[in-house]
Amino acid sequence: MLQKWIIVIIGFSLITSSLLLISSCHKDDTLEPKLEIYSFSPGSGLIGRHVTLRGNNFILPVPSEEGAGPHLNTSIVKFNGTEAEAEFVYQDSINMQRINVVVPEGATTGPITVTAMGQTATSSEDFVITFPDYIPNVTVSTAHSYGGIDLDIDADGNLYVAENHLREIVKIRPDGSLITVWSWDSIGPEIPRGITVDKDGNVYATVDNSIIKIGKDGMVTTLAGSSNSGYADGSGENAKFYFPFGLTVDSVGNVYVADLLNYKIRKISPSGVVITIAGSTQFEGPIDVALDKEGELLVADGNKIRKITPDGFVSTVAGTTQGFLDGAINMAQFGSIRGLIVDPSGNIFLCDSDNSSVRKISFDGTVSSVAGSTFGCTDGPGHLAKFSLTKGLTMDSDGALYLTTGGGAEKVRKIVID
């Protein structure tokens, strides 16, 4: 009899265990996908700044055949409790989604939360709200409705603008009239990007993978490079560049080029001989260059400004993590630096494109805001003015700044500091 009861008990235990196992498997199968925030970038910024959240299950996973996106967002994103605008979600890979959001009015420093499918995920770090420290007595106006990707100015006040969409280089006279000094000849891509003017009025521009020179007489020649990309030092067309961008020229005619996709800085002699003065692992993405008052080369490199000494040593002048922060130079944060210019006193002015602003690094090491902060197109006092994407930057002999803007508001804007 006892043996029978033992068999019954064992049998009952096995049935119970099986039912529990089936129940457990059933629950696992019906669990909702876990909502997670992996990271966000930048870690600080202004009201109105675009921030990218990366995580998983902001929306239900998207089948691969539907593509990366954009896909309609149904989640709610908040900055420390204040709801933000988040329109689309991108499925970058399995278990990786991305939302681009705008920091809302009224947001304060604190965590970011995402609510979706009955769950709420909270970021492990706080997003830090920052505010510009504006220099006084700044006025922004529209200098011309013609815009472009970069610009420079000659001693007579003529602006030269590289227009990458129309594929032309245009001279804007002080009276506002336009003259096309170079245009695409329908053969090859031939897209102009960077532009600079020497003391004699000769214009240099990066076009595709070459550097051209436009003499005062209008004659166009290729100083170095060709239509073929690559990397090689050498003379004239034997030298190779890979997406050269910003450039500047010194007092004796040497041209310095930010060779963006080679991650190098190149120097071209007046006769067209190209050498590399710094690069590769030292840069993240050099896009523009400028000479300071000591003749040392400054480089706009992502969210940092780098300096190259004559012996090729590279150091960081300003910029830490990506974001926005005025103040001491060793703490300052930038979004994405584009145009770069240095005044005769050694003050650095730059276009902070991601933050839709123009910033200043004083010779004493203080970083401040000149104008802009919110995406838009508004003239007026510096603290109220709005820019879209700030791009090229130059300065005239009176100290007025000129910049090109993009993002659907292609213009030349002027900034006067009294």
Side-chain angles (χ1 to χ4, degrees), residues 35-53:
L35 175 63
E36 296 178 281
I37 299 174
Y38 299 150
S39 64
F40 59 85
S41 178
S44 68
L46 307 164
I47 300 297
R49 174 75 160 88
H50 287 266
V51 176
T52 299
L53 306 183

Side-chain angles (χ1 to χ4, degrees), residues 347-406:
N347 301 301
I348 302 169
F349 294 87
L350 59 97
C351 284
D352 188 349
S353 188
D354 280 0
N355 287 310
S356 301
S357 62
V358 176
R359 316 274 294 277
K360 177 184 179 181
I361 304 174
S362 299
F363 189 64
D364 65 3
T366 302
V367 178
S368 54
S369 292
V370 178
S373 67
T374 305
F375 189 93
C377 184
T378 304
D379 290 336
H383 67 288
L384 298 177
K386 293 182 180 182
F387 303 110
S388 50
L389 299 177
T390 52
K391 295 183 175 182
L393 187 67
T394 192
M395 177 180 284
D396 69 15
S397 57
D398 296 323
L401 295 167
Y402 294 83
L403 67 146
T404 52
T405 59

Side-chain angles (χ1 to χ4, degrees), residues 193-397:
R193 287 183 287 266
I195 194 164
T196 192
V197 185
D198 69 16
K199 61 183 178 60
D200 298 319
N202 299 300
V203 177
Y204 302 84
T206 51
V207 177
D208 286 346
N209 296 301
S210 65
I211 289 75
I212 66 168
K213 178 180 179 179
I214 307 170
K216 286 199 72 172
D217 59 1
M219 182 176 292
V220 180
T221 56
T222 298
L223 182 65
S226 66
S227 60
N228 298 318
S229 63
Y231 170 68
D233 286 338
S235 182
E237 294 186 359
N238 293 322
K240 292 186 183 298
F241 301 84
Y242 191 8
F243 212 81
F245 216 103
L247 69 172
T248 192
V249 59
D250 65 20
S251 59
V252 296
N254 294 304
V255 177
Y256 301 85
V257 182
D259 192 357
L260 179 60
L261 295 185
N262 275 322
Y263 301 93
K264 301 180 189 296
I265 305 300
R266 318 288 291 278
K267 178 182 178 180
I268 311 172
S269 72
S271 62
V273 177
V274 179
I275 61 171
T276 299
I277 59 174
S280 290
T281 59
Q282 296 164 304
F283 298 108
E284 298 173 6
I287 200 166
D288 201 13
V289 287
L291 289 162
D292 67 14
K293 67 176 188 175
E294 282 82 28
E296 294 183 324
L297 198 64
L298 300 176
V299 181
D301 184 29
N303 62 313
K304 297 178 177 63
I305 294 179
R306 319 295 291 280
K307 177 182 280 192
I308 305 174
T309 61
D311 60 359
F313 179 76
V314 178
S315 61
T316 299
V317 174
T320 52
T321 57
Q322 187 184 38
F324 184 100
L325 186 63
D326 286 335
I329 194 170
N330 63 325
M331 299 293 289
Q333 295 176 358
F334 305 93
S336 176
I337 301 170
R338 289 287 296 267
L340 194 63
I341 195 77
V342 184
D343 72 10
S345 299
N347 301 301
I348 302 169
F349 294 87
L350 59 97
C351 284
D352 188 349
S353 188
D354 280 0
N355 287 310
S356 301
S357 62
V358 176
R359 316 274 294 277
K360 177 184 179 181
I361 304 174
S362 299
F363 189 64
D364 65 3
T366 302
V367 178
S368 54
S369 292
V370 178
S373 67
T374 305
F375 189 93
C377 184
T378 304
D379 290 336
H383 67 288
L384 298 177
K386 293 182 180 182
F387 303 110
S388 50
L389 299 177
T390 52
K391 295 183 175 182
L393 187 67
T394 192
M395 177 180 284
D396 69 15
S397 57

Side-chain angles (χ1 to χ4, degrees), residues 5 7 12 26 30 71 79 106 130 137 145 159 187 202 233-234 242 247 259 282 331 354 359 366 381 396 399 408 413:
W5 276 110
I7 293 170
F12 180 77
H26 179 69
T30 59
H71 304 288
F79 284 73
T130 57
N137 305 316
S145 58
L159 288 167
I187 301 173
N202 299 300
D233 286 338
Y242 191 8
L247 69 172
D259 192 357
Q282 296 164 304
M331 299 293 289
D354 280 0
R359 316 274 294 277
T366 302
D396 69 15
R413 311 285 291 280

Side-chain angles (χ1 to χ4, degrees), residues 52-302:
T52 299
L53 306 183
R54 288 182 170 83
N56 196 25
N57 297 311
F58 298 144
I59 59 174
L60 288 172
V62 179
S64 58
E65 60 267 20
E66 294 186 23
H71 304 288
L72 183 65
N73 176 55
T74 54
S75 64
I76 297 172
V77 180
K78 294 183 179 181
F79 284 73
N80 202 24
T82 301
E83 188 170 339
E85 179 185 348
E87 190 172 7
F88 296 112
V89 176
Y90 295 83
Q91 183 84 47
D92 290 335
S93 62
I94 297 174
N95 299 325
M96 176 64 79
Q97 293 181 343
R98 165 172 50 95
I99 308 179
N100 295 324
V101 298
V102 176
V103 181
E105 290 285 348
T108 55
T109 295
I112 299 173
T113 60
V114 178
T115 301
M117 297 176 289
Q119 304 177 58
T120 296
T122 303
S123 64
S124 59
E125 303 288 338
D126 287 348
F127 181 84
V128 179
I129 302 293
T130 57
F131 300 91
D133 181 14
Y134 289 106
I135 63 175
N137 305 316
V138 173
T139 303
V140 178
S141 61
T142 299
H144 206 282
S145 58
Y146 183 93
I149 194 169
D150 197 14
L151 81 172
D152 204 0
I153 193 166
D154 67 16
D156 298 323
N158 298 298
L159 288 167
Y160 293 85
V161 180
E163 216 297 339
N164 57 313
H165 298 298
L166 298 176
R167 302 183 184 186
E168 62 184 13
I169 296 172
V170 167
K171 176 180 178 180
I172 305 177
R173 295 190 181 105
D175 65 5
S177 59
L178 303 179
I179 301 174
T180 300
V181 298
W182 178 91
S183 62
W184 180 46
D185 63 4
S186 302
I187 301 173
E190 292 196 348
I191 299 174
R193 287 183 287 266
I195 194 164
T196 192
V197 185
D198 69 16
K199 61 183 178 60
D200 298 319
N202 299 300
V203 177
Y204 302 84
T206 51
V207 177
D208 286 346
N209 296 301
S210 65
I211 289 75
I212 66 168
K213 178 180 179 179
I214 307 170
K216 286 199 72 172
D217 59 1
M219 182 176 292
V220 180
T221 56
T222 298
L223 182 65
S226 66
S227 60
N228 298 318
S229 63
Y231 170 68
D233 286 338
S235 182
E237 294 186 359
N238 293 322
K240 292 186 183 298
F241 301 84
Y242 191 8
F243 212 81
F245 216 103
L247 69 172
T248 192
V249 59
D250 65 20
S251 59
V252 296
N254 294 304
V255 177
Y256 301 85
V257 182
D259 192 357
L260 179 60
L261 295 185
N262 275 322
Y263 301 93
K264 301 180 189 296
I265 305 300
R266 318 288 291 278
K267 178 182 178 180
I268 311 172
S269 72
S271 62
V273 177
V274 179
I275 61 171
T276 299
I277 59 174
S280 290
T281 59
Q282 296 164 304
F283 298 108
E284 298 173 6
I287 200 166
D288 201 13
V289 287
L291 289 162
D292 67 14
K293 67 176 188 175
E294 282 82 28
E296 294 183 324
L297 198 64
L298 300 176
V299 181
D301 184 29

